[in-house]
PDB file of all heavy atoms in Angstrom:
ATOM      1  N   LEU A   1     102.899 116.855  78.327  1.00 92.00           N
ATOM      2  CA  LEU A   1     102.404 115.488  78.494  1.00 92.00           C
ATOM      3  C   LEU A   1     101.897 115.237  79.908  1.00 92.00           C
ATOM      4  O   LEU A   1     101.888 114.105  80.387  1.00 92.00           O
ATOM      5  CB  LEU A   1     103.522 114.486  78.160  1.00 92.00           C
ATOM      6  CG  LEU A   1     104.017 114.508  76.713  1.00 92.00           C
ATOM      7  CD1 LEU A   1     105.156 113.516  76.528  1.00 92.00           C
ATOM      8  CD2 LEU A   1     102.870 114.188  75.750  1.00 92.00           C
ATOM      9  N   GLN A   2     101.482 116.310  80.591  1.00 93.00           N
ATOM     10  CA  GLN A   2     100.928 116.145  81.931  1.00 93.00           C
ATOM     11  C   GLN A   2      99.686 115.263  81.874  1.00 93.00           C
ATOM     12  O   GLN A   2      98.882 115.366  80.954  1.00 93.00           O
ATOM     13  CB  GLN A   2     100.545 117.506  82.535  1.00 93.00           C
ATOM     14  CG  GLN A   2     101.730 118.421  82.776  1.00 93.00           C
ATOM     15  CD  GLN A   2     102.068 119.302  81.594  1.00 93.00           C
ATOM     16  OE1 GLN A   2     101.722 118.947  80.463  1.00 93.00           O
ATOM     17  NE2 GLN A   2     102.720 120.412  81.838  1.00 93.00           N
ATOM     18  N   ARG A   3      99.531 114.404  82.857  1.00 94.00           N
ATOM     19  CA  ARG A   3      98.383 113.500  82.867  1.00 94.00           C
ATOM     20  C   ARG A   3      97.412 113.878  83.985  1.00 94.00           C
ATOM     21  O   ARG A   3      97.771 114.582  84.946  1.00 94.00           O
ATOM     22  CB  ARG A   3      98.847 112.058  83.069  1.00 94.00           C
ATOM     23  CG  ARG A   3      99.612 111.852  84.368  1.00 94.00           C
ATOM     24  CD  ARG A   3      99.993 110.421  84.555  1.00 94.00           C
ATOM     25  NE  ARG A   3     100.892 110.264  85.690  1.00 94.00           N
ATOM     26  CZ  ARG A   3     101.290 109.089  86.153  1.00 94.00           C
ATOM     27  NH1 ARG A   3     100.882 107.980  85.577  1.00 94.00           N
ATOM     28  NH2 ARG A   3     102.123 109.016  87.179  1.00 94.00           N
ATOM     29  N   GLU A   4      96.206 113.371  83.861  1.00 93.00           N
ATOM     30  CA  GLU A   4      95.178 113.634  84.857  1.00 93.00           C
ATOM     31  C   GLU A   4      95.264 112.610  85.989  1.00 93.00           C
ATOM     32  O   GLU A   4      95.563 111.428  85.755  1.00 93.00           O
ATOM     33  CB  GLU A   4      93.788 113.561  84.218  1.00 93.00           C
ATOM     34  CG  GLU A   4      93.530 114.627  83.156  1.00 93.00           C
ATOM     35  CD  GLU A   4      93.465 116.026  83.761  1.00 93.00           C
ATOM     36  OE1 GLU A   4      93.051 116.149  84.926  1.00 93.00           O
ATOM     37  OE2 GLU A   4      93.848 116.982  83.052  1.00 93.00           O
ATOM     38  N   ILE A   5      94.968 113.057  87.194  1.00 93.00           N
ATOM     39  CA  ILE A   5      94.827 112.151  88.327  1.00 93.00           C
ATOM     40  C   ILE A   5      93.452 111.491  88.216  1.00 93.00           C
ATOM     41  O   ILE A   5      92.486 112.148  87.823  1.00 93.00           O
ATOM     42  CB  ILE A   5      94.955 112.931  89.647  1.00 93.00           C
ATOM     43  CG1 ILE A   5      96.359 113.534  89.764  1.00 93.00           C
ATOM     44  CG2 ILE A   5      94.653 112.041  90.849  1.00 93.00           C
ATOM     45  CD1 ILE A   5      96.507 114.523  90.890  1.00 93.00           C
ATOM     46  N   PRO A   6      93.322 110.182  88.484  1.00 94.00           N
ATOM     47  CA  PRO A   6      91.996 109.551  88.430  1.00 94.00           C
ATOM     48  C   PRO A   6      90.964 110.408  89.159  1.00 94.00           C
ATOM     49  O   PRO A   6      91.174 110.784  90.318  1.00 94.00           O
ATOM     50  CB  PRO A   6      92.224 108.200  89.129  1.00 94.00           C
ATOM     51  CG  PRO A   6      93.658 107.887  88.841  1.00 94.00           C
ATOM     52  CD  PRO A   6      94.372 109.209  88.871  1.00 94.00           C
ATOM     53  N   PRO A   7      89.864 110.747  88.519  1.00 92.00           N
ATOM     54  CA  PRO A   7      88.958 111.779  89.023  1.00 92.00           C
ATOM     55  C   PRO A   7      88.292 111.477  90.358  1.00 92.00           C
ATOM     56  O   PRO A   7      87.940 112.404  91.103  1.00 92.00           O
ATOM     57  CB  PRO A   7      87.904 111.903  87.908  1.00 92.00           C
ATOM     58  CG  PRO A   7      88.000 110.619  87.139  1.00 92.00           C
ATOM     59  CD  PRO A   7      89.430 110.204  87.223  1.00 92.00           C
ATOM     60  N   ASP A   8      88.111 110.200  90.699  1.00 92.00           N
ATOM     61  CA  ASP A   8      87.433 109.877  91.962  1.00 92.00           C
ATOM     62  C   ASP A   8      88.409 109.631  93.101  1.00 92.00           C
ATOM     63  O   ASP A   8      88.013 109.164  94.172  1.00 92.00           O
ATOM     64  CB  ASP A   8      86.534 108.651  91.778  1.00 92.00           C
ATOM     65  CG  ASP A   8      87.329 107.402  91.396  1.00 92.00           C
ATOM     66  OD1 ASP A   8      88.390 107.560  90.752  1.00 92.00           O
ATOM     67  OD2 ASP A   8      86.886 106.292  91.724  1.00 92.00           O
ATOM     68  N   ILE A   9      89.671 109.939  92.873  1.00 93.00           N
ATOM     69  CA  ILE A   9      90.711 109.702  93.888  1.00 93.00           C
ATOM     70  C   ILE A   9      91.262 111.038  94.368  1.00 93.00           C
ATOM     71  O   ILE A   9      91.706 111.863  93.561  1.00 93.00           O
ATOM     72  CB  ILE A   9      91.865 108.839  93.314  1.00 93.00           C
ATOM     73  CG1 ILE A   9      91.371 107.445  92.970  1.00 93.00           C
ATOM     74  CG2 ILE A   9      93.022 108.769  94.304  1.00 93.00           C
ATOM     75  CD1 ILE A   9      90.965 106.620  94.162  1.00 93.00           C
ATOM     76  N   GLN A  10      91.255 111.251  95.678  1.00 95.00           N
ATOM     77  CA  GLN A  10      91.888 112.433  96.259  1.00 95.00           C
ATOM     78  C   GLN A  10      93.226 112.005  96.850  1.00 95.00           C
ATOM     79  O   GLN A  10      93.262 111.263  97.836  1.00 95.00           O
ATOM     80  CB  GLN A  10      90.999 113.044  97.345  1.00 95.00           C
ATOM     81  CG  GLN A  10      91.567 114.346  97.913  1.00 95.00           C
ATOM     82  CD  GLN A  10      90.644 114.958  98.958  1.00 95.00           C
ATOM     83  OE1 GLN A  10      89.635 114.365  99.323  1.00 95.00           O
ATOM     84  NE2 GLN A  10      90.998 116.134  99.434  1.00 95.00           N
ATOM     85  N   ILE A  11      94.309 112.432  96.228  1.00 96.00           N
ATOM     86  CA  ILE A  11      95.639 111.965  96.626  1.00 96.00           C
ATOM     87  C   ILE A  11      95.976 112.436  98.033  1.00 96.00           C
ATOM     88  O   ILE A  11      95.813 113.609  98.387  1.00 96.00           O
ATOM     89  CB  ILE A  11      96.716 112.454  95.642  1.00 96.00           C
ATOM     90  CG1 ILE A  11      96.382 111.985  94.219  1.00 96.00           C
ATOM     91  CG2 ILE A  11      98.091 111.944  96.060  1.00 96.00           C
ATOM     92  CD1 ILE A  11      96.376 110.489  94.045  1.00 96.00           C
ATOM     93  N   GLN A  12      96.440 111.497  98.837  1.00 96.00           N
ATOM     94  CA  GLN A  12      96.876 111.761 100.215  1.00 96.00           C
ATOM     95  C   GLN A  12      98.374 111.451 100.316  1.00 96.00           C
ATOM     96  O   GLN A  12      98.930 110.732  99.486  1.00 96.00           O
ATOM     97  CB  GLN A  12      96.100 110.887 101.197  1.00 96.00           C
ATOM     98  CG  GLN A  12      94.595 111.028 101.112  1.00 96.00           C
ATOM     99  CD  GLN A  12      94.102 112.323 101.703  1.00 96.00           C
ATOM    100  OE1 GLN A  12      94.398 112.661 102.837  1.00 96.00           O
ATOM    101  NE2 GLN A  12      93.326 113.079 100.919  1.00 96.00           N
ATOM    102  N   ILE A  13      98.986 111.971 101.363  1.00 96.00           N
ATOM    103  CA  ILE A  13     100.418 111.719 101.565  1.00 96.00           C
ATOM    104  C   ILE A  13     100.704 111.557 103.046  1.00 96.00           C
ATOM    105  O   ILE A  13      99.989 112.124 103.894  1.00 96.00           O
ATOM    106  CB  ILE A  13     101.280 112.861 100.978  1.00 96.00           C
ATOM    107  CG1 ILE A  13     102.760 112.468 100.959  1.00 96.00           C
ATOM    108  CG2 ILE A  13     101.059 114.181 101.731  1.00 96.00           C
ATOM    109  CD1 ILE A  13     103.640 113.376 100.117  1.00 96.00           C
ATOM    110  N   GLY A  14     101.716 110.765 103.370  1.00 94.00           N
ATOM    111  CA  GLY A  14     102.087 110.562 104.767  1.00 94.00           C
ATOM    112  C   GLY A  14     103.151 109.495 104.896  1.00 94.00           C
ATOM    113  O   GLY A  14     103.645 108.939 103.907  1.00 94.00           O
ATOM    114  N   SER A  15     103.502 109.205 106.121  1.00 92.00           N
ATOM    115  CA  SER A  15     104.519 108.206 106.414  1.00 92.00           C
ATOM    116  C   SER A  15     104.091 106.827 105.922  1.00 92.00           C
ATOM    117  O   SER A  15     102.918 106.466 105.950  1.00 92.00           O
ATOM    118  CB  SER A  15     104.762 108.153 107.928  1.00 92.00           C
ATOM    119  OG  SER A  15     105.500 106.993 108.275  1.00 92.00           O
ATOM    120  N   GLN A  16     105.059 106.038 105.456  1.00 93.00           N
ATOM    121  CA  GLN A  16     104.770 104.688 104.982  1.00 93.00           C
ATOM    122  C   GLN A  16     104.656 103.684 106.120  1.00 93.00           C
ATOM    123  O   GLN A  16     104.399 102.505 105.887  1.00 93.00           O
ATOM    124  CB  GLN A  16     105.830 104.211 103.985  1.00 93.00           C
ATOM    125  CG  GLN A  16     107.243 104.103 104.532  1.00 93.00           C
ATOM    126  CD  GLN A  16     108.043 105.369 104.360  1.00 93.00           C
ATOM    127  OE1 GLN A  16     107.613 106.447 104.769  1.00 93.00           O
ATOM    128  NE2 GLN A  16     109.214 105.252 103.763  1.00 93.00           N
ATOM    129  N   TRP A  17     104.823 104.135 107.357  1.00 95.00           N
ATOM    130  CA  TRP A  17     104.810 103.219 108.507  1.00 95.00           C
ATOM    131  C   TRP A  17     103.418 103.213 109.131  1.00 95.00           C
ATOM    132  O   TRP A  17     103.112 103.979 110.026  1.00 95.00           O
ATOM    133  CB  TRP A  17     105.895 103.615 109.504  1.00 95.00           C
ATOM    134  CG  TRP A  17     107.201 103.826 108.799  1.00 95.00           C
ATOM    135  CD1 TRP A  17     107.851 104.993 108.598  1.00 95.00           C
ATOM    136  CD2 TRP A  17     107.974 102.825 108.139  1.00 95.00           C
ATOM    137  NE1 TRP A  17     108.987 104.797 107.856  1.00 95.00           N
ATOM    138  CE2 TRP A  17     109.093 103.473 107.553  1.00 95.00           C
ATOM    139  CE3 TRP A  17     107.830 101.451 107.979  1.00 95.00           C
ATOM    140  CZ2 TRP A  17     110.052 102.792 106.820  1.00 95.00           C
ATOM    141  CZ3 TRP A  17     108.793 100.774 107.246  1.00 95.00           C
ATOM    142  CH2 TRP A  17     109.886 101.435 106.685  1.00 95.00           C
ATOM    143  N   TRP A  18     102.560 102.314 108.627  1.00 97.00           N
ATOM    144  CA  TRP A  18     101.167 102.278 109.026  1.00 97.00           C
ATOM    145  C   TRP A  18     100.839 100.991 109.767  1.00 97.00           C
ATOM    146  O   TRP A  18     101.596 100.010 109.755  1.00 97.00           O
ATOM    147  CB  TRP A  18     100.253 102.415 107.813  1.00 97.00           C
ATOM    148  CG  TRP A  18     100.659 101.670 106.563  1.00 97.00           C
ATOM    149  CD1 TRP A  18     101.193 102.211 105.428  1.00 97.00           C
ATOM    150  CD2 TRP A  18     100.565 100.255 106.313  1.00 97.00           C
ATOM    151  NE1 TRP A  18     101.433 101.234 104.485  1.00 97.00           N
ATOM    152  CE2 TRP A  18     101.047 100.021 104.998  1.00 97.00           C
ATOM    153  CE3 TRP A  18     100.106  99.165 107.060  1.00 97.00           C
ATOM    154  CZ2 TRP A  18     101.098  98.755 104.428  1.00 97.00           C
ATOM    155  CZ3 TRP A  18     100.161  97.888 106.495  1.00 97.00           C
ATOM    156  CH2 TRP A  18     100.661  97.694 105.197  1.00 97.00           C
ATOM    157  N   CYS A  19      99.651 100.990 110.403  1.00 98.00           N
ATOM    158  CA  CYS A  19      99.080  99.799 111.022  1.00 98.00           C
ATOM    159  C   CYS A  19      97.603  99.748 110.622  1.00 98.00           C
ATOM    160  O   CYS A  19      96.820 100.633 111.019  1.00 98.00           O
ATOM    161  CB  CYS A  19      99.232  99.839 112.539  1.00 98.00           C
ATOM    162  SG  CYS A  19      98.493  98.409 113.380  1.00 98.00           S
ATOM    163  N   LEU A  20      97.216  98.734 109.844  1.00 98.00           N
ATOM    164  CA  LEU A  20      95.869  98.647 109.287  1.00 98.00           C
ATOM    165  C   LEU A  20      95.179  97.358 109.733  1.00 98.00           C
ATOM    166  O   LEU A  20      95.819  96.317 109.916  1.00 98.00           O
ATOM    167  CB  LEU A  20      95.925  98.683 107.756  1.00 98.00           C
ATOM    168  CG  LEU A  20      96.608  99.909 107.127  1.00 98.00           C
ATOM    169  CD1 LEU A  20      96.657  99.763 105.612  1.00 98.00           C
ATOM    170  CD2 LEU A  20      95.908 101.198 107.524  1.00 98.00           C
ATOM    171  N   ARG A  21      93.869  97.463 109.896  1.00 97.00           N
ATOM    172  CA  ARG A  21      93.065  96.301 110.271  1.00 97.00           C
ATOM    173  C   ARG A  21      92.956  95.311 109.099  1.00 97.00           C
ATOM    174  O   ARG A  21      93.121  95.681 107.939  1.00 97.00           O
ATOM    175  CB  ARG A  21      91.668  96.747 110.700  1.00 97.00           C
ATOM    176  CG  ARG A  21      91.642  97.618 111.945  1.00 97.00           C
ATOM    177  CD  ARG A  21      90.290  98.280 112.093  1.00 97.00           C
ATOM    178  NE  ARG A  21      90.028  99.208 110.990  1.00 97.00           N
ATOM    179  CZ  ARG A  21      88.868  99.824 110.791  1.00 97.00           C
ATOM    180  NH1 ARG A  21      87.853  99.610 111.621  1.00 97.00           N
ATOM    181  NH2 ARG A  21      88.710 100.643 109.770  1.00 97.00           N
ATOM    182  N   ARG A  22      92.627  94.067 109.429  1.00 97.00           N
ATOM    183  CA  ARG A  22      92.528  93.034 108.398  1.00 97.00           C
ATOM    184  C   ARG A  22      91.479  93.407 107.353  1.00 97.00           C
ATOM    185  O   ARG A  22      91.711  93.251 106.153  1.00 97.00           O
ATOM    186  CB  ARG A  22      92.184  91.683 109.036  1.00 97.00           C
ATOM    187  CG  ARG A  22      92.186  90.554 108.011  1.00 97.00           C
ATOM    188  CD  ARG A  22      91.824  89.211 108.587  1.00 97.00           C
ATOM    189  NE  ARG A  22      92.163  88.163 107.632  1.00 97.00           N
ATOM    190  CZ  ARG A  22      93.319  87.520 107.580  1.00 97.00           C
ATOM    191  NH1 ARG A  22      94.264  87.809 108.447  1.00 97.00           N
ATOM    192  NH2 ARG A  22      93.542  86.590 106.665  1.00 97.00           N
ATOM    193  N   ARG A  23      90.347  93.924 107.797  1.00 97.00           N
ATOM    194  CA  ARG A  23      89.290  94.286 106.858  1.00 97.00           C
ATOM    195  C   ARG A  23      89.788  95.326 105.862  1.00 97.00           C
ATOM    196  O   ARG A  23      89.503  95.243 104.654  1.00 97.00           O
ATOM    197  CB  ARG A  23      88.089  94.830 107.634  1.00 97.00           C
ATOM    198  CG  ARG A  23      86.906  95.229 106.761  1.00 97.00           C
ATOM    199  CD  ARG A  23      85.758  95.700 107.631  1.00 97.00           C
ATOM    200  NE  ARG A  23      86.138  96.879 108.406  1.00 97.00           N
ATOM    201  CZ  ARG A  23      85.371  97.402 109.372  1.00 97.00           C
ATOM    202  NH1 ARG A  23      84.220  96.833 109.690  1.00 97.00           N
ATOM    203  NH2 ARG A  23      85.772  98.480 110.023  1.00 97.00           N
ATOM    204  N   THR A  24      90.546  96.289 106.330  1.00 97.00           N
ATOM    205  CA  THR A  24      91.076  97.331 105.446  1.00 97.00           C
ATOM    206  C   THR A  24      92.069  96.739 104.448  1.00 97.00           C
ATOM    207  O   THR A  24      92.050  97.073 103.259  1.00 97.00           O
ATOM    208  CB  THR A  24      91.753  98.437 106.286  1.00 97.00           C
ATOM    209  OG1 THR A  24      90.808  98.972 107.209  1.00 97.00           O
ATOM    210  CG2 THR A  24      92.290  99.543 105.394  1.00 97.00           C
ATOM    211  N   ILE A  25      92.918  95.855 104.924  1.00 98.00           N
ATOM    212  CA  ILE A  25      93.892  95.210 104.041  1.00 98.00           C
ATOM    213  C   ILE A  25      93.177  94.407 102.952  1.00 98.00           C
ATOM    214  O   ILE A  25      93.558  94.445 101.765  1.00 98.00           O
ATOM    215  CB  ILE A  25      94.831  94.293 104.865  1.00 98.00           C
ATOM    216  CG1 ILE A  25      95.833  95.144 105.676  1.00 98.00           C
ATOM    217  CG2 ILE A  25      95.574  93.321 103.959  1.00 98.00           C
ATOM    218  CD1 ILE A  25      96.846  95.895 104.851  1.00 98.00           C
ATOM    219  N   GLU A  26      92.132  93.691 103.326  1.00 97.00           N
ATOM    220  CA  GLU A  26      91.399  92.902 102.328  1.00 97.00           C
ATOM    221  C   GLU A  26      90.719  93.811 101.310  1.00 97.00           C
ATOM    222  O   GLU A  26      90.664  93.491 100.116  1.00 97.00           O
ATOM    223  CB  GLU A  26      90.386  92.004 103.039  1.00 97.00           C
ATOM    224  CG  GLU A  26      91.067  90.872 103.819  1.00 97.00           C
ATOM    225  CD  GLU A  26      90.095  90.065 104.668  1.00 97.00           C
ATOM    226  OE1 GLU A  26      88.950  90.553 104.893  1.00 97.00           O
ATOM    227  OE2 GLU A  26      90.476  88.964 105.123  1.00 97.00           O
ATOM    228  N   TRP A  27      90.187  94.950 101.757  1.00 97.00           N
ATOM    229  CA  TRP A  27      89.607  95.924 100.834  1.00 97.00           C
ATOM    230  C   TRP A  27      90.660  96.438  99.850  1.00 97.00           C
ATOM    231  O   TRP A  27      90.396  96.609  98.666  1.00 97.00           O
ATOM    232  CB  TRP A  27      88.989  97.092 101.599  1.00 97.00           C
ATOM    233  CG  TRP A  27      87.678  96.785 102.237  1.00 97.00           C
ATOM    234  CD1 TRP A  27      86.854  95.724 101.967  1.00 97.00           C
ATOM    235  CD2 TRP A  27      87.031  97.558 103.257  1.00 97.00           C
ATOM    236  NE1 TRP A  27      85.733  95.775 102.757  1.00 97.00           N
ATOM    237  CE2 TRP A  27      85.804  96.894 103.559  1.00 97.00           C
ATOM    238  CE3 TRP A  27      87.340  98.717 103.948  1.00 97.00           C
ATOM    239  CZ2 TRP A  27      84.909  97.370 104.508  1.00 97.00           C
ATOM    240  CZ3 TRP A  27      86.449  99.204 104.897  1.00 97.00           C
ATOM    241  CH2 TRP A  27      85.259  98.537 105.175  1.00 97.00           C
ATOM    242  N   ILE A  28      91.864  96.709 100.369  1.00 97.00           N
ATOM    243  CA  ILE A  28      92.944  97.214  99.508  1.00 97.00           C
ATOM    244  C   ILE A  28      93.308  96.170  98.455  1.00 97.00           C
ATOM    245  O   ILE A  28      93.477  96.492  97.269  1.00 97.00           O
ATOM    246  CB  ILE A  28      94.177  97.598 100.357  1.00 97.00           C
ATOM    247  CG1 ILE A  28      93.894  98.867 101.166  1.00 97.00           C
ATOM    248  CG2 ILE A  28      95.404  97.796  99.465  1.00 97.00           C
ATOM    249  CD1 ILE A  28      94.989  99.233 102.145  1.00 97.00           C
ATOM    250  N   LEU A  29      93.413  94.907  98.862  1.00 97.00           N
ATOM    251  CA  LEU A  29      93.760  93.852  97.906  1.00 97.00           C
ATOM    252  C   LEU A  29      92.664  93.692  96.844  1.00 97.00           C
ATOM    253  O   LEU A  29      92.967  93.443  95.671  1.00 97.00           O
ATOM    254  CB  LEU A  29      94.009  92.536  98.643  1.00 97.00           C
ATOM    255  CG  LEU A  29      95.242  92.521  99.573  1.00 97.00           C
ATOM    256  CD1 LEU A  29      95.373  91.169 100.254  1.00 97.00           C
ATOM    257  CD2 LEU A  29      96.522  92.865  98.814  1.00 97.00           C
TER     258      LEU A  29
END
């Protein structure tokens, strides 16, 4: 039952302690 990763997304990994600009946060939302 393995599933596919969304094809246009390249999975990244790292620390959850980030600092993002307002423009980036609005894009994420």
Side-chain angles (χ1 to χ4, degrees):
L1 296 178
Q2 295 89 336
R3 59 177 171 174
E4 296 292 330
I5 296 169
D8 62 331
I9 295 293
Q10 184 178 5
I11 303 297
Q12 304 286 307
I13 191 167
S15 166
Q16 62 269 54
W17 311 110
W18 40 254
C19 178
L20 303 177
R21 296 166 296 173
R22 185 181 194 91
R23 181 178 62 188
T24 302
I25 286 292
E26 290 173 344
W27 284 344
I28 289 174
L29 294 179

